[in-house]
Amino acid sequence: MWRFLFGTLFIITAAVISLIVGVVTILAVAIATTKPVLFVSAGALAYIIVFALTMKWFVGRAKSRIYFTVCAYSIGLLFFAAIAITLLKPLDIPQYHSDSLKKQYWDLPTGSSIAYVHLPGIGVKKPEPIIFLHGGPGTPDMEGDARYFNKLTEDGYDVYIYDELGTGHSMRLNDPRGYGIKRDVADLEAIRNKIGIDRMILIGHSYGGEIAADYLVHYGQHVSKAVFSSPGPIDPSDHSDTQLIARLSNSERWKLYGHLMYPRSLMAYLLLQVNPLAAHTFAGDEEMDAEFDRIYAITEPALHAEGKHYDLPLHHLGFYANQMPQSRMAAPKPDLRVPLSAWDGPALILKGSDDYLSWASAMDYRNALRNSQLIYLEQAGHNEYQDQPELVMNIIRSFLADRPLPVSAYNEDTPPPTFQR
């Protein structure tokens, strides 16, 4: 009995090891070619050879050769078939209902085609428009953000909401290596020229705050005021974004792992680490964006304070725009803390009590921006303007109008006791 149990366990272990060899072979070959038929075939061949040689050695020493021969090749074939199906079958792409927004497009000299909505100011027009930069990278919410920031048009501001390159309804790149903050900043400067304005007001949420900060470093003369909503870290050593998963419940976490570890999704991610072009050829934008939609929907509760939620599901998110800047093939993130201090315009920093990003990430902005105020918001998560919509809008309106803010600035260096570390 024990001999049969040990033999079966050995066969399963051999199949797993052969699978690992096959995956490594796929990645090694993908470094040299972007053709899935070549690197996937190489991986399959490696699996077959390693497993067959191992089983030949094992069965040759087993007393029950017939049993172990049948068992070995049955298990090997099942492993091979299961992995082949889940690796090669494209992921589901749902049919989305189009939203009611009338989108326009900027064709920029950077090569980007960017989808946007223009919300015209009402009454006496302010001379400087507001441009909103969404988070992620790769997680636009044009419909929700247009609905929310449309309130600023009542104060005379023209408001522009756009999907950054590789996200939403904007164009995707054939080569994912083109994504990154450098391109996003270049697009923003091209947008300013396209609109035909000299100065503007920036509102950047999460990763959009990083774009705004980088833009200020290079083109700060064109920004009159800046609002940073739960801004992403400008210190490259701050990796607090990894704490997002820790905010999920156990059931949400296991559901997330099921998507992340699904063979086709996992292979696309692994290929991105060695050859982004191979990853993009293996699994294209449409299916990976749809999978990113599903993953984002699972993690969305972690963006809010306890008891808060957001009813509008997001679609057309950008997988490669999100993952490429985080991959090992991406250029290192710039450290903006020192160069950002050269900009002395008025800045507003919003930080929620339940933001998963570190307290230091907000403090880096406050320390760098000499003319800034940090506002701490109770019962607000990373998407604080969704958790405390009326309060945040009142704060932004007061800041833009140079009126006293309805909430006092937080001037301590250490986080408040209610901050969820």
Side-chain angles (χ1 to χ4, degrees):
M1 177 65 182
W2 288 108
R3 184 183 298 117
F4 289 105
L5 185 62
F6 173 78
T8 304
L9 182 61
F10 179 87
I11 294 169
I12 294 174
T13 302
V16 172
I17 292 173
S18 300
L19 175 62
I20 294 172
V21 173
V23 170
V24 172
T25 302
I26 288 175
L27 298 178
V29 175
I31 295 174
T33 179
T34 62
K35 295 181 178 179
V37 66
L38 295 180
F39 55 74
V40 172
S41 297
L45 184 61
Y47 172 90
I48 292 170
I49 291 173
V50 171
F51 186 76
L53 290 176
T54 305
M55 290 305 98
K56 182 179 180 181
W57 175 88
F58 173 70
V59 172
R61 285 157 178 76
K63 292 184 177 180
S64 303
R65 293 188 179 184
I66 296 177
Y67 169 81
F68 284 119
T69 299
V70 173
C71 186
Y73 288 101
S74 296
I75 291 175
L77 184 60
L78 285 173
F79 258 73
F80 186 84
I83 295 300
I85 292 171
T86 53
L87 192 67
L88 299 178
K89 185 178 181 295
L91 299 166
D92 292 335
I93 303 171
Q95 296 295 317
Y96 299 119
H97 297 291
S98 59
D99 57 52
S100 58
L101 290 176
K102 294 182 178 179
K103 290 170 280 293
Q104 303 178 67
Y105 288 85
W106 287 306
D107 291 322
L108 305 177
T110 58
S112 302
S113 180
I114 300 295
Y116 74 97
V117 291
H118 173 206
L119 309 173
I122 300 171
V124 180
K125 290 285 191 77
K126 295 291 195 299
E128 297 166 349
I130 293 171
I131 296 184
F132 176 76
L133 307 168
H134 68 74
T139 57
D141 180 16
M142 183 181 282
E143 184 178 357
D145 291 333
R147 184 176 58 191
Y148 183 75
F149 291 104
N150 185 57
K151 297 179 180 66
L152 296 174
T153 63
E154 299 170 7
D155 300 333
Y157 292 103
D158 278 3
V159 179
Y160 291 89
I161 312 286
Y162 73 92
D163 292 339
E164 293 149 20
L165 179 67
T167 74
H169 297 278
S170 292
M171 70 175 287
R172 268 60 172 171
L173 296 175
N174 292 327
D175 186 349
R177 291 173 297 183
Y179 294 122
I181 195 165
K182 185 177 180 180
R183 177 66 172 266
D184 289 329
V185 169
D187 282 347
L188 178 55
E189 172 61 2
I191 287 169
R192 182 191 66 79
N193 286 310
K194 199 78 172 179
I195 297 173
I197 54 173
D198 181 55
R199 283 163 69 80
M200 57 189 173
I201 297 166
L202 295 180
I203 299 178
H205 174 67
S206 191
Y207 172 71
E210 296 179 53
I211 297 176
D214 202 308
Y215 186 87
L216 290 176
V217 170
H218 294 92
Y219 305 101
Q221 71 274 19
H222 296 302
V223 180
S224 59
K225 292 183 177 181
V227 177
F228 297 91
S229 164
S230 304
I234 52 175
D235 175 3
S237 67
D238 186 331
H239 300 292
S240 55
D241 56 346
T242 59
Q243 294 303 307
L244 175 68
I245 295 178
R247 295 294 179 94
L248 298 174
S249 66
N250 287 334
S251 61
E252 291 165 342
R253 207 171 296 156
W254 282 112
K255 189 175 181 181
L256 173 65
Y257 291 151
H259 282 271
L260 296 179
M261 299 305 292
Y262 189 77
R264 187 166 177 84
S265 300
L266 182 59
M267 181 54 67
Y269 172 81
L270 293 174
L271 287 168
L272 195 60
Q273 312 310 308
V274 298
N275 188 343
L277 278 171
H280 191 259
T281 307
F282 173 75
D285 291 299
E286 202 172 9
E287 65 168 303
M288 293 311 298
D289 288 354
E291 181 66 1
F292 189 31
D293 290 354
R294 292 184 280 266
I295 289 172
Y296 182 89
I298 297 170
T299 61
E300 203 264 344
L303 304 177
H304 304 282
E306 187 175 354
K308 304 286 186 177
H309 66 280
Y310 187 57
D311 293 328
L312 187 65
L314 302 190
H315 303 303
H316 306 294
L317 305 185
F319 171 81
Y320 287 105
N322 176 271
Q323 287 296 314
M324 183 63 220
Q326 304 178 58
S327 75
R328 63 180 294 274
M329 299 297 288
K333 285 183 64 174
D335 189 336
L336 301 176
R337 289 174 293 175
V338 173
L340 186 58
S341 63
W343 191 74
D344 61 356
L348 176 68
I349 306 159
L350 302 172
K351 185 70 172 178
S353 59
D354 291 53
D355 187 3
Y356 67 88
L357 293 177
S358 68
W359 180 255
S361 67
M363 289 300 300
D364 285 339
Y365 283 84
R366 198 186 76 177
N367 293 336
L369 296 163
R370 292 172 284 165
N371 189 12
S372 66
Q373 301 177 78
L374 188 151
I375 302 300
Y376 180 72
L377 299 162
E378 297 281 2
Q379 296 184 338
H382 184 68
N383 291 8
E384 90 291 314
Y385 66 96
Q386 295 170 354
D387 288 355
Q388 298 285 5
E390 293 183 7
L391 177 57
V392 169
M393 182 53 66
N394 287 337
I395 292 171
I396 292 175
R397 277 178 150 167
S398 298
F399 170 73
L400 296 179
D402 295 321
R403 297 193 303 263
L405 302 184
V407 178
S408 299
Y410 188 83
N411 296 316
E412 302 296 326
D413 292 335
T414 56
T418 54
F419 181 70
Q420 301 295 314
R421 296 171 179 79

